[in-house]
Amino acid sequence: VNIFVFDTEVYSNTGGQASKSTPTGSIAKFAASGKKTRKKDLGMMAMSYGYVYVATVAMSANPAQLLKAMNEAEAYHGPSLIIAYAPCINHGINMGKSQTEEKNAVDCGYWQLYRYNPSLAEKGENPFTLDSKDPTGSYQEYLAGEVRYTALKKANPEVAEKLFAQAEEDAKARLETYKKKAGK
C-alpha cells in the first residue's frame, strides 16, 4: 500500500481551515489570531510503527531525492507513506512560483527532507536518512513572503513576533531530532 500525502498545512478542500498540520503562527480559518500550537509530525507518527516506509519530499528542492523516495517506497514490501510539501493558494503566494516556494522552504529549514526505510534496520543499518542540509536561508524572511504569516504581523505584531520565533525554534528542534535519528 503506497500513500502520497500532499501537505498544504490546511484543510484545503474546506477553504483553508486550520488543521493539526497548520504550523505555529499561521493564519487560517478558525485560527485568525495565528495558530498557537505546533504542527503535528505525521512522518514521525508513522515511523513510530517501525514497519512503515516514510519519506518527506519537496519536488523542486531536490528532484533526485523525490525520485529516490518514490523508488524506495515502491520497492518496500509493506506500507509506504510519502509526504510532499505542497504550497497552496491559502498561503497567500503567487502560485506560479510554488516550486520556488518549496525550494525556499527546504533551504531555510522550514521543511526537511528525509527517508525512513525499515528494511535497512533488518540489515543492521540505520533506517533513517536525513537528506536536508543545514539551513542556508532565513526562516523569518521565508515567513515574511507568505500572507498567512504577514497578515498576523500586521494585525498583531507582538503576538506574531512571539509565534514566529517559536515556529523557528520548533523547526530547529525538529531538525536536531532528525539529525540524531540519522546519527549526525
Side-chain angles (χ1 to χ4, degrees):
V1 175
N2 295 325
I3 299 172
F4 212 103
V5 172
F6 294 96
D7 189 351
T8 63
E9 301 184 320
V10 291
Y11 290 124
S12 298
N13 62 340
T14 60
Q17 290 178 352
S19 75
K20 288 179 178 68
S21 185
T22 302
T24 305
S26 177
I27 285 183
K29 289 181 184 176
F30 305 116
S33 61
K35 186 163 175 260
K36 308 292 188 270
T37 57
R38 86 174 66 157
K39 170 184 176 157
K40 72 178 175 184
D41 192 332
L42 179 61
M44 288 291 276
M45 292 166 65
M47 279 185 267
S48 72
Y49 288 97
Y51 61 84
V52 178
Y53 178 92
V54 182
T56 58
V57 300
M59 183 168 43
S60 63
N62 189 333
Q65 187 263 355
L66 167 66
L67 290 173
K68 189 169 197 166
M70 291 173 72
N71 287 330
E72 288 176 352
E74 184 64 30
Y76 180 68
H77 296 292
S80 298
L81 172 64
I82 296 177
I83 306 163
Y85 183 57
C88 83
I89 196 134
N90 290 302
H91 294 185
I93 62 167
N94 175 345
M95 289 304 293
K97 297 184 178 184
S98 62
Q99 294 296 303
T100 301
E101 192 72 4
E102 287 181 22
K103 183 171 180 355
N104 292 342
V106 172
D107 288 348
C108 77
Y110 181 90
W111 184 266
Q112 288 87 22
L113 308 176
Y114 64 77
R115 293 169 290 118
Y116 174 80
N117 189 342
S119 61
L120 293 176
E122 295 167 8
K123 299 176 188 175
E125 299 174 32
N126 187 343
F128 188 87
T129 303
L130 180 62
D131 295 312
S132 287
K133 296 178 178 24
D134 283 338
T136 57
S138 166
Y139 192 94
Q140 297 301 320
E141 282 180 27
Y142 177 78
L143 297 184
E146 296 190 357
V147 173
R148 64 182 172 152
Y149 294 107
T150 59
L152 179 59
K153 193 167 188 168
K154 286 179 186 172
N156 196 334
E158 298 82 23
V159 169
E161 184 177 337
K162 180 181 173 190
L163 291 176
F164 297 172
Q166 184 60 51
E168 186 169 11
E169 287 306 310
D170 290 347
K172 288 177 182 176
R174 190 171 49 249
L175 179 58
E176 288 307 310
T177 297
Y178 294 161
K179 283 181 175 183
K180 286 177 186 167
K181 279 188 85 58
K184 293 183 179 183

